[in-house]
Amino acid sequence: MKVLLTAAEIYPLAKTGGLGDVVSALPKALHEAKADVRLLMPAYRGAAAMAEAKPAASLGDFHGFGETVILEGRMPATDLKVWLIDSPGLYDRDGGPYADATGADWVDNDVRFALLAWAAARLSQAESPLGWTPDILHVHDWQTALAPAYLRAWGGPAPGVVFTIHNIAFQGNFPSDLVPRIGLPWSFFTMDGFEYWGQLSYLKAGLVYADKLTTVSPTYAHEIQTPALGFGMQGLLTHRADDLSGILNGADYGVWDPAQDKHLAAPYPATDFVRGKAANKAALQAQLGLTANPDAPLLVVISRLSDQKGMDLLLGVMPMLIEEGAQVAILGTGDRWLEDAFQAVSVQHPQQVAVRIGYVEELAHRLQAGGDMLLMPSRFEPCGLSQMYAQRYATLPIVHSTGGLADTVVNASYDTLLTGAATGFQFDQPTASAFQWCIERAIALYRHPDQWRRIQARAIQQDFGWHRSAASYLDLYRALRPGSAPAKAKGKRATAVEA
Ligand code: ADP
Ligand code: GLC
């Protein structure tokens, strides 16, 4: 099985969040399951050096935006081949994959990601200059979602295309004059194609033209078919429900394992988590300037600071946490007003509240190890990875019961405490009062160390390894292998849309 995976970020070459983690870990698991996997990403500044990539082929000019060269390299510390799209005018600049250093989106993201999708489609054709053609093209999120539209427009033999939705709130909608500029046919600019309220929607192109759709948890697969969380795409997704499935993400325990974690003050094996966590908690309190107090519950947050992540709810419960004598450590970047508001709280209560604005991989690991609880009050959460990592570090997650959070945390209730199944805490309504009540419940249990340790021991044993998810993706790929897909299903997808 030959699979080409493509995304706008792949850790460690580029990462701003969970997408980068997933498109790094899934190919490793597919490779272990004997699939022949290749990766494709833009050659952002520094990526080619990290992958030791060298020119391998030219794809020619992309509609007047310049010559596109494909560099070939290896994902660091693996055998996996990665192709990087070298188009310096579009990708070689300081800043992140989507935005400049001030957080403003690059104004040419429309073209930058059209090129990514176009290159993925070109490399999926029999005439690929790299001499390797995939059976399956697996694209992720809107930045790559035009690829199946290009393949459809060009016609001829094409691989099966799987489109994974990591977050349906991000859609890549752009003015329609882009259609001819990036070489797509006007005939696709209809309600049955990629037109969306008068704009060209990259996300919708993926939803319409990919053969199979997946998202990153079973609960989210249902939620995006509802008006509340479908962000306008619920009608189309309901229409394609037979082609849509939810495959839970995994955790990459090669990167997130407290026994091997080089970022920690004191790495600890699962069997010794009580001592290990105490040492890391003390180190974290010292590093962040919090009072050295082993008994104060230390609540950690590693998150984009945004409305999606429910960070305003967290702001609402800060007075209670301070009153309770808890400590809170927040690592994140995002909306300016939230950054400022959290910083203001920490200035007032420096011994109880530490805030670090920025993206710091090492600190994320240290928070997972030193914290007692991880807070994720997300309004919606397609999957969420941090709550899975937290469990392996014996840090108990407190989560809003939505999307992948609902699927990966077993709420501590009377029953689950009795049976020993509990791994964390959930609350049902995304309100500050429900969140507060849930945290109070957790802190009450924290004051009973025997009970608390029992939940920790259960959490640390959870296996969110990628092998299971990779097997599900392989099943899906097999069902799509050229020749095995029923012709009728192909006809249906060509016309099926209802926006
Ligand atoms: P999302 O992709 O929606 O941001 P996930 O839970 O899927 O959320 O993934 C978040 C990933 O990003 C985790 O690996 C987490 O450790 C990391 N992360 C988020 N914010 C930061 C930050 N400020 N510094 C370091 N890592 C972060
Ligand atoms: C998105 C989602 C997050 C998910 C990640 C990886 O960023 O917001 O919930 O875990 O993608 O699939």
Side-chain angles (χ1 to χ4, degrees):
M1 177 69 68
K2 293 190 285 178
V3 189
L4 177 62
L5 276 94
T6 183
E9 53 181 280
I10 309 176
Y11 176 83
L13 302 184
K15 168 174 165 180
T16 71
L19 174 66
D21 281 1
V22 168
V23 187
S24 169
L26 171 61
K28 285 192 266 180
L30 291 170
H31 176 72
E32 273 162 31
K34 305 278 179 273
D36 177 5
V37 192
R38 314 280 165 105
L39 296 167
L40 177 71
M41 197 191 81
Y44 305 119
R45 179 162 293 177
M50 240 199 243
E52 298 179 357
K54 302 276 174 318
S58 170
L59 290 182
D61 177 51
F62 173 60
H63 300 286
F65 293 100
E67 200 202 347
T68 304
V69 172
I70 301 295
L71 311 176
E72 182 172 304
R74 300 253 158 216
M75 289 302 288
T78 72
D79 291 334
L80 292 177
K81 203 172 263 188
V82 62
W83 288 315
L84 298 173
I85 307 166
D86 193 25
S87 182
L90 294 174
Y91 302 133
D92 184 20
R93 41 179 92 157
D94 285 332
Y98 318 110
D100 66 19
T102 71
D105 279 352
W106 297 115
V107 292
D108 53 357
N109 275 346
D110 49 359
V111 176
R112 296 172 75 241
F113 295 119
L115 172 57
L116 174 58
W118 176 83
R122 287 285 307 275
L123 297 181
S124 297
Q125 291 188 303
E127 315 77 69
S128 164
L130 293 167
W132 179 94
T133 312
D135 301 310
I136 298 293
L137 171 63
H138 189 167
V139 302
H140 296 262
D141 269 357
W142 72 265
Q143 298 88 356
T144 53
L146 284 181
Y150 278 114
L151 287 169
R152 188 67 63 88
W154 298 336
V161 182
V162 177
F163 175 35
T164 296
I165 305 154
H166 294 262
N167 192 334
I168 204 153
F170 299 118
Q171 306 193 335
N173 298 331
F174 299 102
S176 59
D177 61 353
L178 193 62
V179 174
R181 283 173 56 221
I182 57 175
L184 286 166
W186 276 116
S187 59
F188 286 19
F189 192 71
T190 66
M191 206 171 97
D192 291 345
F194 47 48
E195 183 269 342
Y196 184 66
W197 296 102
Q199 293 198 300
L200 161 57
S201 170
Y202 288 29
L203 178 92
K204 192 177 169 204
L207 299 182
V208 172
Y209 297 111
D211 299 289
K212 291 285 178 194
L213 308 176
T214 74
T215 187
V216 289
S217 69
T219 294
Y220 194 61
H222 290 291
E223 289 173 340
I224 56 177
Q225 296 180 54
T226 67
L229 290 179
F231 285 85
M233 300 294 173
Q234 59 276 9
L236 172 51
L237 286 165
T238 309
H239 194 82
R240 293 213 59 190
D242 288 350
D243 291 321
L244 169 66
S245 54
I247 301 178
L248 194 67
N249 285 333
D252 186 344
Y253 293 128
V255 178
W256 297 93
D257 170 10
Q260 313 283 340
D261 193 329
K262 57 186 185 312
H263 299 303
L264 302 191
Y268 54 98
T271 46
D272 199 19
F273 69 82
V274 176
R275 249 185 334 166
K277 287 194 73 67
N280 284 287
K281 182 172 178 176
L284 189 62
Q285 287 170 328
Q287 178 182 353
L288 299 177
L290 298 167
T291 305
N293 178 354
D295 298 324
L298 175 49
L299 286 65
V300 300
V301 177
I302 306 155
S303 183
R304 289 187 280 121
L305 302 179
S306 69
D307 185 64
Q308 179 202 335
K309 298 293 178 178
M311 288 294 120
D312 51 318
L313 308 183
L314 174 61
L315 203 55
V317 304
M318 291 303 285
M320 175 280 281
L321 293 171
I322 289 158
E323 178 74 26
E324 275 276 352
Q327 297 184 345
V328 185
I330 299 171
L331 168 64
T333 53
D335 296 352
R336 188 61 198 272
W337 79 272
L338 284 164
E339 295 182 358
D340 292 347
F342 284 119
Q343 271 178 324
V345 183
S346 84
V347 168
Q348 280 188 321
H349 304 276
Q351 292 169 337
Q352 273 183 274
V353 180
V355 175
R356 294 291 180 273
I357 302 300
Y359 197 91
V360 193
E361 194 75 31
E362 178 188 31
L363 184 55
H365 287 248
R366 294 170 76 100
L367 289 167
Q368 289 282 13
D372 295 304
M373 304 161 205
L374 174 86
L375 304 179
M376 290 184 78
S378 311
R379 286 203 164 72
F380 66 94
E381 193 62 80
C383 180
L385 299 172
S386 296
Q387 82 285 2
M388 296 198 254
Y389 305 152
Q391 292 178 56
R392 183 50 61 102
Y393 285 71
T395 301
L396 300 187
I398 301 181
V399 305
H400 173 218
S401 171
T402 183
L405 300 176
D407 295 337
T408 55
V409 175
V410 181
N411 181 41
S413 65
Y414 181 79
D415 287 350
T416 59
L417 286 172
L418 217 58
T419 59
T423 59
F425 304 85
Q426 292 192 358
F427 57 99
D428 289 333
Q429 292 302 320
T431 62
S433 57
F435 185 30
Q436 172 160 334
W437 189 77
C438 190
I439 297 176
E440 281 171 352
R441 224 163 27 97
I443 292 181
L445 261 177
Y446 174 80
R447 309 253 186 241
H448 296 273
D450 288 352
Q451 291 246 38
W452 190 259
R453 280 175 198 166
R454 196 155 162 244
I455 310 175
Q456 285 178 299
R458 181 71 174 202
I460 216 165
Q461 282 163 13
Q462 299 305 300
D463 182 3
F464 296 112
W466 265 101
H467 47 276
R468 214 169 312 152
S469 316
S472 302
Y473 281 112
L474 277 170
D475 286 345
L476 194 68
Y477 298 161
R478 279 190 203 104
L480 270 182
R481 257 186 127 147
S484 69
K488 218 166 126 239
K490 291 213 166 204
K492 181 182 156 211
R493 71 183 156 83
T495 51
V497 184
E498 188 191 286

